[in-house]
Amino acid sequence: MTESTATAAAINAARKIAVVGSGYMGGGIAQVLALGGARVALADVSAEVAQKNYERLLAESDEFVAAGLFPEGATAILKENLWAAKDIEEAVADADFIEEAVPEVIEIKHQTLARISAAARPDAIIGSNTSTISIADLSEPVTNPERFLGVHFSNPSPFIPGVEIIPHAGTSAATVVAVRALVHA
């Protein structure tokens, strides 16, 4: 088994994910991943904001089920697989994959990525949902930057299946393979 295959297999076997940034984009990404069977921690600037957005996602799910946009039972799946963390550090501590989805301001992203990087396992893959900032520039505060890349979900992510995977020059091939497998799963 190659390193790339082993990394992809490990991500798909465990599929513990954290989404940091629980607003419209981050929340939608968390819904997609949780409905796909992953256990997803939702984090934001505070436990209160994460909890409020968790509750919003459940209410939206009920609305989407009623409108025929989500399958029957979607809200129950979200309740089983999605949870609001007290902070970023709790959300990412045991995650295999972490998706940063905070506002498109490099300073905010750098601060958030530094916190994620400090609290996450050294082998956890870290993705950014940026659509405007260079992935190489964003990788600066990340320790082990070979595990970092852009994972840009389309908007609205629960309804548009496109996901752009954007490595930087230092992203490892194993990271790209693992994220492709995760997105396809």
Side-chain angles (χ1 to χ4, degrees):
M1 184 179 283
T2 68
E3 178 188 355
S4 297
T5 307
T7 302
I11 290 280
N12 284 320
R15 297 196 340 152
K16 293 179 186 171
I17 297 174
V19 176
V20 178
S22 64
Y24 186 71
M25 277 305 299
I29 293 166
Q31 283 177 321
V32 168
L33 296 169
L35 288 172
R39 180 78 173 131
V40 182
L42 193 61
D44 214 298
V45 295
S46 70
E48 295 77 23
V49 170
Q51 183 64 36
K52 180 180 173 187
N53 282 324
Y54 167 79
E55 291 165 9
R56 174 185 55 82
L57 293 171
L58 295 179
E60 283 179 358
S61 178
D62 285 338
E63 293 170 12
F64 295 156
V65 169
L69 298 170
F70 273 9
E72 287 296 325
T75 305
I77 293 169
L78 289 176
K79 286 178 181 177
E80 182 178 326
N81 290 339
L82 183 62
W83 61 283
K86 68 176 179 164
D87 56 27
I88 290 171
E89 289 75 13
E90 179 185 54
V92 306
D94 195 34
D96 301 300
F97 174 73
I98 301 142
E99 178 77 347
E100 168 273 308
V102 300
E104 292 285 294
V105 177
I106 196 164
E107 293 81 11
I108 295 171
K109 286 190 178 287
H110 272 178
Q111 291 169 359
T112 303
L113 289 165
R115 281 181 71 185
I116 290 169
S117 185
R121 297 188 337 247
D123 64 331
I125 294 173
I126 303 169
S128 175
N129 193 58
T130 190
S131 61
T132 62
I133 303 171
S134 158
I135 299 303
D137 290 346
L138 286 178
S139 73
E140 293 171 9
V142 177
T143 56
N144 305 329
E146 66 277 0
R147 66 184 173 148
F148 179 74
L149 73 172
V151 184
H152 180 231
F153 286 75
S154 296
N155 186 12
S157 49
F159 307 112
I160 299 177
V163 178
E164 182 181 24
I165 297 173
I166 315 154
H168 62 92
T171 304
S172 74
T175 297
V176 173
V177 168
V179 171
R180 280 187 183 147
L182 175 71
V183 167
H184 286 284

